[in-house]
């Protein structure tokens, strides 16, 4: 009888994938993010925080204190909320995927093998 219980628990462990095996970076609502997607994120401008639009250039995972965090390299488009003065630079930025929301998928028209 204990052998049947052990085999049942082994079967459920093999069916359910672990978080690290999924391999998809998602925004805070669970939408998958890929290269070429248009996203919105919070950015600093002086003492304030603005909502900015950007294009995803690269996704990766950063390891910190034994945990993996999904990260993005984004290229700002220059569209910001309540911009008193324009951005000084449109350099690429590293942003945590948990602070990003997907607006539109594949706006650049890049062909991804993940899509």
């Amino acid at each position: 009888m204990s052998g049947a219980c052990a085999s049942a628990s082994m079967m459920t462990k093999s069916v359910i994938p672990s978080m690290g095996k999924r391999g998809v970076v998602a925004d805070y609502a669970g939408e998958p993010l890929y290269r070429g997607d248009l996203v919105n994120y919070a950015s600093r401008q002086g003492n304030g925080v603005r909502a900015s639009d950007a294009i995803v250039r690269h996704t990766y995972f950063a390891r910190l204190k034994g945990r993996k965090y999904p990260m993005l390299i984004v290229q700002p488009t220059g569209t910001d909320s309540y911009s008193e003065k324009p951005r000084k630079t449109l350099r690429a930025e590293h942003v945590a995927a948990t602070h990003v929301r997907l607006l539109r998928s594949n706006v650049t028209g890049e062909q991804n093998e993940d899509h």
Side-chain angles (χ1 to χ4, degrees), residues 11-33:
M11 186 175 75
T12 55
K13 285 184 180 179
S14 64
V15 171
I16 301 171
S18 67
M19 285 292 285
K21 303 267 182 191
R22 290 184 186 161
V24 175
V25 174
D27 66 358
Y28 65 79
E31 298 289 329
L33 297 172

Side-chain angles (χ1 to χ4, degrees), residues 10-90:
M10 293 290 282
M11 186 175 75
T12 55
K13 285 184 180 179
S14 64
V15 171
I16 301 171
S18 67
M19 285 292 285
K21 303 267 182 191
R22 290 184 186 161
V24 175
V25 174
D27 66 358
Y28 65 79
E31 298 289 329
L33 297 172
Y34 300 101
R35 185 175 8 140
D37 290 348
L38 179 66
V39 295
N40 189 296
Y41 71 103
S43 63
R44 302 276 315 182
Q45 284 185 342
N47 275 344
V49 178
R50 308 285 187 248
S52 300
D53 292 349
I55 304 292
V56 175
R57 293 295 175 211
H58 182 66
T59 61
Y60 66 99
F61 289 90
R63 188 174 291 276
L64 178 65
K65 295 184 181 180
R67 291 193 59 191
K68 284 172 54 176
Y69 293 97
M71 299 289 289
L72 305 170
I73 296 177
V74 297
Q75 181 75 44
T77 61
T79 305
D80 298 324
S81 67
Y82 188 67
S83 289
E84 293 176 358
K85 44 188 171 173
R87 280 181 172 263
K88 291 181 182 176
T89 179
L90 293 176

